Amino acid sequence: METLTLPFRTMRRRIAATLSPLVRWLPQEITRWTLWFAWASLIANIGIILTGGAVRLTDSGLGCPEWPLCTEDSLVSTPEMGIHGAIEFGNRLLTYVLVIIAAAMLLSVIRLRRTHRPLTVMSAIIVAGIPIQAIIGGITVWTNLNPWVVALHFIVSAGLVMVATWILSRVRLELRSGGRADVPLAYGAADRIARATAWTILGAAWAAVVLGTIVTGTGPHAGDPGSPRHDFDPQLVTQLHVVPVYILCAAAALLLVRTIRADASSAQRRAAWFLLTVIVLQGAVGYWQHFTGLPVQLVWVHMLGSALTMVAAANVWDRTLARYRTRGLGDLTAPRTAAAEPALN
């Protein structure tokens, strides 16, 4: 066994020696650049949901009928493919933008992997998730926009939005803590009811997203006129989708009451108010589109609302249950000090 591991160890040392001069240029602390990359990551992952929605709502899902090429002999869309080919290929190009942003985010924290492991792991998840999304997108094309595959495509995007939200909240905490170590991300009211409510909110948000993809797969906007649809009763699946939404509304209202009456931090109050605002607006758009025959503009806004719901639910969970504490912006090799009081309200 030892003889088998020796070549791998030698190879690892050679790779490390080769990359060492490049790694030395990477930041050793969290900076404003890290914050910008975190914001860009969140915005870009929400943006790809919206551009993907535009592809589906304009019947451009098969604008590029092949994958990874756009056609059998062309990487890019051709003039003969018209606007649908341009829209679909434009959405594919955005994947490369996401790759660049995700790589920049990971590189901005990679030297902090021993002290800021959660940030490094989450950034790596985003980097890994983008090619997985691209592969699912290819399978979507190969299966003629099968609604189950399309749903998986959206669910993975929602997961990346959630992770990007958590990255952003941790980077902001590190910068706002003024370099102090052991400042907790979650502080304030966190009794048993608050913790159960936070879990309920995150679970209900995910259930609403998953069931929402089934409603979408049953509806008229397939992405291409010849693509398959779910053979479900639209009224029934819509009613099922509403169940976790009602649970989410009730949990959000309960959480807001708890944050007002309990010793909650201002960050917890803002998270609760933001969640309730997003839910109310999302519900209004949802009912509006349902009773007006699912116009594409409202469906697109509803997709934005779904992404923002994940942001709000993830933020509430973070402010109530996260165990993350700042490492500080000073000496990254120093041991942790005793727990500090929250630097932020």
Side-chain angles (χ1 to χ4, degrees), residues 67-274:
W67 189 88
L69 300 180
C70 191
T71 67
E72 291 184 355
D73 53 4
S74 175
L75 176 64
V76 302
S77 61
T78 62
E80 294 78 13
M81 300 170 69
I83 186 64
H84 294 308
I87 292 174
E88 165 62 6
F89 183 69
N91 183 59
R92 293 188 183 188
L93 282 180
L94 286 178
T95 301
Y96 297 100
V97 177
L98 259 70
V99 168
I100 294 172
I101 293 172
M105 181 65 225
L106 179 59
L107 291 175
S108 70
V109 296
I110 193 67
R111 292 192 72 180
L112 311 178
R113 61 190 180 276
R114 293 183 180 177
T115 55
H116 295 71
R117 183 176 177 82
L119 277 175
T120 308
V121 171
M122 290 180 185
S123 299
I125 289 173
I126 298 289
V127 171
I130 294 172
I132 291 174
Q133 272 290 68
I135 293 172
I136 296 173
I139 297 173
T140 302
V141 173
W142 294 339
T143 57
N144 193 31
L145 307 183
N146 182 287
W148 292 113
V149 183
V150 173
L152 179 61
H153 204 35
F154 184 85
I155 290 169
V156 173
S157 288
L160 294 179
V161 167
M162 180 182 70
V163 175
T165 301
W166 287 342
I167 291 174
L168 177 60
S169 65
R170 283 152 179 74
V171 172
R172 293 179 67 192
L173 179 70
E174 291 283 357
L175 289 175
R176 291 186 177 185
S177 65
R180 296 172 62 190
D182 280 313
V183 177
L185 178 59
Y187 61 93
D191 57 15
R192 183 180 300 177
I193 295 178
R195 291 193 295 271
T197 304
W199 275 114
T200 301
I201 286 170
L202 189 63
W206 269 110
V209 166
V210 171
L211 290 175
T213 63
I214 297 177
V215 175
T216 299
T218 308
H221 303 298
D224 187 84
S227 296
R229 312 303 292 147
H230 290 314
D231 190 21
F232 298 138
D233 180 357
Q235 190 70 21
L236 176 61
V237 293
T238 300
Q239 292 172 349
L240 291 174
H241 169 57
V242 169
V243 172
V245 174
Y246 285 156
I247 296 173
L248 183 60
C249 289
L254 174 61
L255 181 70
L256 184 60
V257 171
R258 293 290 297 178
T259 57
I260 292 174
R261 299 183 62 178
D263 186 22
S265 66
S266 59
Q268 289 177 321
R269 294 191 185 99
R270 286 193 300 269
W273 276 112
F274 178 60

